[in-house]
Amino acid sequence: MKIHSSTGLHGCVTVPGDKSVSHRSVMLGALADGVTHVTGFLMGEDCLSTIDCFRKMGVAIEVGVDHDVTVHGVGLHGLREPSERLYTGNSGTTTRLISGILAGQAFPVSLTGDASIEKRPMGRVITPLRQMGADITGVDDKFCPLSIRPSRLHGIEYTLPVASAQLKSAILLAGLYADGPTTVIEPAPSRDHTERMLRQLGCRVEAEGCRITVYPPEKLTASDVAVPADISSAAFFLVAGAIVPNSEVTIRSVGVNPTRDGVIEVLQNMGADITLFNRRDDGEPVCDVTVRSSRLHGVEIGGALIPRLIDELPVLAVAAAFAEGETIIRDAAELKVKESNRILAMVTELTRAGADVTETADGMIIRGGKPLRGASFETYNDHRIAMSMAVCALACAGESEIQNDAVVAISYPDFFDTLRQLGGEPV
Ligand code: S3P
């Protein structure tokens, strides 16, 4: 994919449904009694992996036109033993959340994903699930493939070593099958979609600050899900609209759950002209967002903010490269164990464009404001690196190339079409 320097992005777009909420709508819809109608479902490869896994366990799931999905719930104890190993593709969310569910089933199952998944840390899930009594093993007790056999689970109190919603959710989902309440304590609040959806399905979930307790329910009752547009996908156009001169971009119905909206806070702190309007609530808070070209300045990003914008850090690094002054990203070592090592990937690719960036142990330091030039950018088989560098290319001088651009299909199959719609003209 070739991308030219842009003279301005204009228009009003809808970005695809939230990836985290889409995954959970299928998982919890499958475990509920009754039928769940999901609207705005993300038809990205990761969420299709979740659908595939549950179909293999006997759940009827219809994928309609226009992002509608219908899940025919089988109840908490209605999943069936799959005839083959479950395959989670590139999806960390599928792999970790499903492990918690599988720990509570009455049948044995094994699962794995692609080459990236087989390198991602699973010990963080194996350890607490074993404490709950799960019979779960992995390669060196750390990696996929995972094997899970039936066992009786008991409730535990567990302090997470990292602020990870995938880990928190795996434990809470296993807690649905435990003989008593399960409590998770987070170092900082991470996305709370699992807790919200469980409550919507009638499950008792209590949250007091960073302490979350789930009480094993008799049953979950199906409830329809309206998936908001993914703020993590909107983030690419928020940054593009801010750094490309003469731009004004509106994104409709963006999910602005307070555990996810750190990217808006940081961009506004950097001086971005961003307006939120039409605020409403549909299980998750949503609003429309307009961004206009802005003069950005550097900021520090760290601490409890990190889990609220973890997936947006690559594109925020692009914003920082076009901002005046220094941006420091710290406390973000988790970026090294995402779909790629996102610290190394962004430092390497921004440097290729001529940016002044230094890698640190838990983040990076970006001295922004240097004029950047187009280049052929690597994507490390990572959808968010591909889209971040596409945004960067719009504000670089001359022409750029995004290698292996098809990887965007993991979370945003129509990304380049949206860019074209805004006048970004990829060829
Ligand atoms: C997700 C949690 C985050 C995020 C991922 C989706 C989720 O991962 O990076 O894209 O849906 O729970 P971690 O829990 O590993 O931080």
Side-chain angles (χ1 to χ4, degrees), residues 19-20 24 93 96 163-166 191 310-311 338 384:
K19 183 156 77 68
S20 297
R24 287 158 173 82
T93 309
R96 296 203 178 103
S164 158
Q166 292 180 359
R191 65 193 70 194
I310 186 73
D311 291 340
K338 293 292 177 188
R384 298 201 201 280

Side-chain angles (χ1 to χ4, degrees), residues 228-256:
D230 198 328
I231 191 167
S232 299
S233 298
F236 298 110
F237 301 109
L238 293 178
V239 171
I243 65 175
V244 173
N246 309 310
S247 296
E248 180 171 330
V249 174
T250 296
I251 310 157
R252 292 185 210 97
S253 305
V254 180
V256 284

Side-chain angles (χ1 to χ4, degrees), residues 49-58 79-89 94-95 98-99 101-102 105 107-114 117-118 144-146 148:
S49 292
T50 293
I51 289 183
D52 180 59
C53 289
F54 281 86
R55 279 183 173 156
K56 284 189 176 134
M57 292 190 286
L79 296 178
R80 288 204 310 263
E81 181 174 348
S83 57
E84 54 187 300
R85 177 180 274 180
L86 299 180
Y87 183 70
T88 58
T94 311
T95 312
I98 214 173
S99 302
I101 293 171
L102 296 175
Q105 303 308 313
F107 51 80
V109 59
S110 71
L111 74 153
T112 198
D114 67 7
I117 280 293
E118 293 200 339
C144 279
L146 303 178
I148 303 172

